[in-house]
Amino acid sequence: MPGAKRDFLSISLGFDDEQKEPRKRQSFWRVWKRLSSLQRSVICLIIVLGGLSALYILPAIHHGNKLSSEDAKLTKDKRQAVDKVAPENGSPFFKDKFLGQGNDNQQIQPPQAGVPKLNKQDDLKRVAKQQIDEYNKRLQKHKPGMRRPPQHKPVVDRPPNGGGEENQPVDRGADPDFNVDQHAVPPYDYFNQEGKRTARQEAVVDAFRFAWQAYKKYAWGHDEFHPITRTHSEWFGVGLTIVDSLDTLVILGLKPEFDDAREWVATELTFEKDKDVNLFEITIRVLGGLLATYHLTGDDLFKDKAIDLGNRLLPCFNSPSNVPFSDVNLMTSRAHAPRWGPDSSTSEVTTIQLEFRDLSRVTKDDKYENSVMTVSKHIHGLPKKDGLVPIFVNANTGSFRGTSTITFGARGDSYYEYLLKQWIQTGKTNNMFKDDFLEAIDGVKKHLLRESSPSKLLYIGELLGGRTFSPKMDHLVCYLPGTMALGYKNGLPDDHFDIAKRLTETCFQMYARMPTKLSPEIVYFSQAAQSKEDLIVKAPDAHNLLRPETVESLFYMYRFTGDKKYQDMGWTIFQAFLKHTKVENGGFSSIHNVKAGKTTFRDKLESFFLAETLKYLYLLFGDDSSLIPLDKFVFNSEAHPLPIYSS
Ligand code: DMJ
């Protein structure tokens, strides 16, 4: 047997060990004949086994190829849809997620070997490395919870008064010299606030939880909650209350609630909806909410969702003029004017700029910012009444409707707000915005600012048809004192702050003088010298929608002065919300009449109560100004904080 073993080895090595002769070529047949029967059997066995393996492997390869091409066909339409909305530089993972292949709930699988068809060893290594990199990225990327916020670099500090006109950088207009990633998002341990809150902040947290739990129980994933009937309704069909509340959850430090909300965004939120949405509303509430949450948490999930939404809103800008259409279908991309007429609201087309600019800075793609800068420049170039604008503008002609009202209330309000805030967002480098804001405030002083009788409350009226003064003031106007205080803090004239202080007092009186201590939606100020009461409330205007504007201004005033009277004012208002708008079985509701002894509910929890009202109250009642510092963040119109850039 040892000899047989030696023979077998000698064949396998190709030598004729027996004869000790040098190696020479022999025919296959001669070699075969010289083999022992054991050697022949082993060779036959090897050949049979090889053949059998081939029979199994070849069809499998063929089948695999077939599957990939069918799969490709099946997903082609979907993928085209994604390509349509994905940013040019969008990551492959963004596309995977959109297609449902990168679902955050799904366990991330390690890279699979042997999937790609490869010829060269180098290619193999390259693709394997790509897969591993991608896998590691995905593990990093969508790990839930807090991570480091985006890059921190300080904004350019400027002297209090902007350094004088001569030192102001030139207006770069629609072609901004991006300093991407220059935004300053200071680190803050949001989810570690237990034991650090003031008693009043704890009360706000309780109120928030009370509303949140009811929404979760009866309306989870739906846009709006009706707490009396415990039902829900859709507006955009995007879980509006959740998305609008995301950054409030972070700022209030509510980790379990935030985790639930994030999970919903990761697994349920889609903008692939055959739904017409209002450009302004979805921008300030949803785009703003996603971007702010991205900046606070550094979690790319929110950035990816913001990019998807931003792309779907862009068709609004394909109008015959530089004024965008007010509505767009999220799925079909069809944009159009509002159903009620040919005009867009001036405040709506001018209150999308902070969000679209931020999206450009985040993506390093200037298409979003350029779209909204075109609108801003167009509105800047239109004739105005001492900086004041009519509330309607036509998206076909690009002109104001000259006979429309001038107001700082509905449809006019945030045009002025975004002038100041864009100047701040761009590091006070774009003076077009600052100049328009200054001119508008001069226009206010000239045409709209009056004192009531008998108490001399300072208020802002309206010009009906652009001409006739009316002593009417919407609660919406009460954002203005806070915004003017913010301007003053950024170097605008002292008298802006004087006006801000007096307007804040007036807005508080709109609450304090009502039997419920809640403000009506609209008041008229008495002008008659002999009148006994300053405030007149008409029956159709007596409702309260849980709006934030007054507590927003109280927050700014407290941050800038440290005067606790503003906290006390806010506490009075908060107590009134608790007393009259809290629904026994869960949630808060808007009410019909702030003058009525007995509250009647309108059965609606507006998403801005959670996004804005409770957020501003929480910030107002705290003494930690490093929680959303106002030299690093600028709040959008829905109280979503966005970073201030250096240009
Ligand atoms: C919010 O949606 C925003 O603050 C908007 O700018 C005005 N209206 C509501 C709150 O009142």
Side-chain angles (χ1 to χ4, degrees):
M1 287 307 281
K5 190 176 175 198
R6 199 189 59 220
D7 280 354
F8 178 76
L9 285 173
S10 73
I11 283 291
S12 72
L13 293 170
F15 282 95
D16 190 343
D17 285 345
E18 293 283 326
Q19 295 171 16
K20 302 275 188 278
E21 282 175 9
R23 185 180 183 167
K24 58 180 179 189
R25 281 201 166 280
Q26 299 178 61
S27 79
F28 170 79
W29 189 236
R30 276 171 70 190
V31 172
W32 182 254
K33 276 206 310 194
R34 287 177 53 206
L35 293 180
S36 69
S37 56
L38 172 69
Q39 287 171 326
R40 286 180 193 162
S41 309
V42 170
I43 290 171
C44 287
L45 188 66
I46 289 170
I47 291 168
V48 170
L49 285 176
L52 282 174
S53 315
L55 278 175
Y56 276 96
I57 289 166
L58 286 175
I61 292 171
H62 177 68
H63 183 61
N65 286 344
K66 221 171 122 198
L67 269 188
S68 352
S69 62
E70 275 166 8
D71 196 35
K73 250 190 269 163
L74 270 177
T75 55
K76 191 173 157 232
D77 290 348
K78 251 179 161 186
R79 197 165 283 281
Q80 270 172 354
V82 173
D83 287 342
K84 201 173 69 184
V85 297
E88 275 148 40
N89 58 354
S91 75
F93 185 52
F94 166 72
K95 295 185 181 186
D96 280 348
K97 272 195 319 125
F98 190 82
L99 290 167
Q101 295 162 4
N103 189 313
D104 300 275
N105 255 0
Q106 209 173 296
Q107 201 154 13
I108 296 172
Q109 296 297 322
Q112 300 294 310
V115 176
K117 271 178 132 188
L118 298 161
N119 298 321
K120 291 182 192 160
Q121 194 66 17
D122 281 356
D123 283 348
L124 235 181
K125 278 190 202 153
R126 185 174 45 76
V127 173
K129 188 176 176 309
Q130 272 172 6
Q131 285 185 333
I132 289 161
D133 286 350
E134 184 68 14
Y135 170 60
N136 286 335
K137 238 191 279 164
R138 287 168 63 175
L139 274 180
Q140 282 285 318
K141 211 176 176 185
H142 282 224
K143 216 172 14 175
M146 295 298 292
R147 284 199 307 283
R148 224 161 53 82
Q151 187 128 18
H152 302 144
K153 284 188 189 163
V155 292
V156 175
D157 278 326
R158 289 173 200 287
N161 280 311
E165 281 306 309
E166 67 284 4
N167 292 333
Q168 292 286 346
V170 281
D171 178 358
R172 290 195 198 88
D175 182 26
D177 178 13
F178 281 155
N179 279 321
V180 285
D181 289 338
Q182 287 282 317
H183 47 305
V185 179
Y188 193 93
D189 200 357
Y190 297 103
F191 293 137
N192 186 22
Q193 295 185 60
E194 291 294 334
K196 296 180 193 159
R197 298 184 185 111
T198 64
R200 287 177 174 182
Q201 283 184 309
E202 288 292 355
V204 175
V205 166
D206 288 347
F208 188 97
R209 282 206 171 107
F210 184 75
W212 186 256
Q213 280 159 9
Y215 168 75
K216 194 168 176 205
K217 189 161 174 194
Y218 301 113
W220 187 244
H222 297 282
D223 280 349
E224 290 176 318
F225 175 40
H226 306 285
I228 305 296
T229 50
R230 299 182 197 164
T231 54
H232 46 74
S233 55
E234 303 306 338
W235 187 8
F236 311 134
V238 296
L240 175 64
T241 297
I242 297 180
V243 183
D244 213 4
S245 301
L246 286 166
D247 59 345
T248 307
L249 291 165
V250 177
I251 290 168
L252 268 59
L254 306 181
K255 182 77 166 83
E257 291 84 352
F258 175 76
D259 287 345
D260 286 346
R262 186 203 181 275
E263 178 72 8
W264 186 87
V265 171
T267 57
E268 303 289 334
L269 177 59
T270 172
F271 297 117
E272 183 69 358
K273 297 259 158 142
D274 188 5
K275 197 107 187 150
D276 282 14
V277 299
N278 175 280
L279 170 67
F280 155 75
E281 293 287 4
I282 202 162
T283 295
I284 63 165
R285 298 185 194 222
V286 180
L287 186 59
L290 291 168
L291 286 168
T293 310
Y294 165 64
H295 289 295
L296 298 183
T297 64
D299 187 338
D300 282 351
L301 168 68
F302 303 108
K303 179 173 85 171
D304 291 343
K305 293 289 180 189
I307 294 168
D308 182 18
L309 177 58
N311 287 331
R312 289 167 191 270
L313 299 179
L314 283 176
C316 280
F317 299 95
N318 297 331
S319 72
S321 71
N322 291 322
V323 175
F325 288 122
S326 63
D327 295 82
V328 64
N329 185 295
L330 286 177
M331 190 188 277
T332 66
S333 305
R334 201 183 80 81
H336 57 87
R339 303 214 183 285
W340 42 264
D343 296 333
S344 296
S345 301
T346 304
S347 67
E348 292 194 359
V349 301
T350 53
T351 310
I352 48 180
Q353 280 71 8
L354 288 178
E355 298 80 1
F356 276 76
R357 176 174 297 105
D358 191 68
L359 189 56
S360 269
R361 306 303 172 102
V362 161
T363 57
K364 301 179 173 66
D365 184 342
D366 61 3
K367 69 181 172 199
Y368 311 102
E369 178 162 7
N370 285 344
S371 300
V372 292
M373 271 307 285
T374 304
V375 184
S376 289
K377 288 193 148 191
H378 177 83
I379 301 288
H380 169 75
L382 293 178
K384 305 182 185 67
K385 189 178 183 101
D386 296 313
L388 304 177
V389 293
I391 58 174
F392 290 116
V393 58
N394 192 298
N396 292 311
T397 64
S399 307
F400 284 130
R401 196 203 294 170
T403 54
S404 53
T405 293
I406 288 174
T407 176
F408 273 62
R411 303 189 189 285
D413 49 0
S414 43
Y415 159 71
Y416 307 99
E417 178 187 1
Y418 270 33
L419 289 178
L420 181 83
K421 289 184 172 177
Q422 286 190 82
W423 178 59
I424 292 173
Q425 182 192 31
T426 55
K428 295 190 257 184
T429 59
N430 191 325
N431 288 339
M432 176 183 89
F433 296 122
K434 181 185 79 167
D435 293 345
D436 285 357
F437 183 76
L438 288 172
E439 193 188 347
I441 298 302
D442 285 345
V444 168
K445 290 192 237 171
K446 192 166 165 189
H447 299 288
L448 303 180
L449 208 58
R450 301 274 171 97
E451 286 178 340
S452 66
S453 183
S455 314
K456 295 194 181 309
L457 295 175
L458 194 70
Y459 70 94
I460 294 181
E462 298 183 343
L463 290 181
L464 302 178
R467 297 159 167 261
T468 313
F469 182 81
S470 164
K472 167 178 176 275
M473 185 165 129
D474 294 352
H475 182 272
L476 287 169
V477 180
C478 289
Y479 85 88
L480 187 63
T483 296
M484 288 181 74
L486 180 65
Y488 162 76
K489 193 71 186 169
N490 279 281
L492 298 192
D494 292 0
D495 70 334
H496 286 211
F497 196 49
D498 299 335
I499 292 170
K501 281 193 269 191
R502 288 192 63 191
L503 286 176
T504 304
E505 176 63 31
T506 302
C507 289
F508 177 66
Q509 290 304 321
M510 287 164 62
Y511 286 77
R513 295 189 182 199
M514 298 297 133
T516 54
K517 300 273 183 285
L518 287 175
S519 170
E521 178 72 357
I522 298 168
V523 295
Y524 287 81
F525 288 86
S526 174
Q527 302 184 92
Q530 68 282 19
S531 66
K532 292 210 172 72
E533 179 48 76
D534 294 79
L535 307 180
I536 301 154
V537 182
K538 297 184 181 176
D541 307 331
H543 50 288
N544 180 292
L545 301 181
L546 314 172
R547 286 198 191 275
E549 290 76 17
T550 297
V551 296
E552 170 184 347
S553 285
L554 291 173
F555 156 67
Y556 284 105
M557 296 306 290
Y558 180 65
R559 270 280 169 103
F560 297 146
T561 64
D563 189 337
K564 294 207 180 294
K565 80 175 180 193
Y566 296 114
Q567 287 186 320
D568 293 341
M569 290 176 176
W571 186 247
T572 302
I573 292 171
F574 179 58
Q575 293 304 306
F577 277 130
L578 291 181
K579 185 165 176 198
H580 297 287
T581 70
K582 194 171 174 184
V583 177
E584 211 174 300
N585 291 320
F588 291 80
S589 169
S590 48
I591 61 171
H592 283 294
N593 187 355
V594 296
K595 294 180 80 177
K598 191 170 163 11
T599 307
T600 54
F601 293 110
R602 288 167 69 105
D603 193 19
K604 189 163 178 191
L605 172 62
E606 300 281 351
S607 73
F608 53 67
F609 185 65
L610 303 179
E612 296 194 70
T613 311
L614 291 182
K615 184 189 289 156
Y616 282 130
L617 281 167
Y618 183 83
L619 291 169
L620 167 66
F621 295 147
D623 285 318
D624 179 2
S625 57
S626 68
L627 177 57
I628 316 295
L630 293 175
D631 58 344
K632 300 286 186 285
F633 289 101
V634 61
F635 283 100
N636 86 339
S637 200
E638 187 79 0
H640 298 303
L642 300 174
I644 292 172
Y645 293 90
S646 57
S647 66

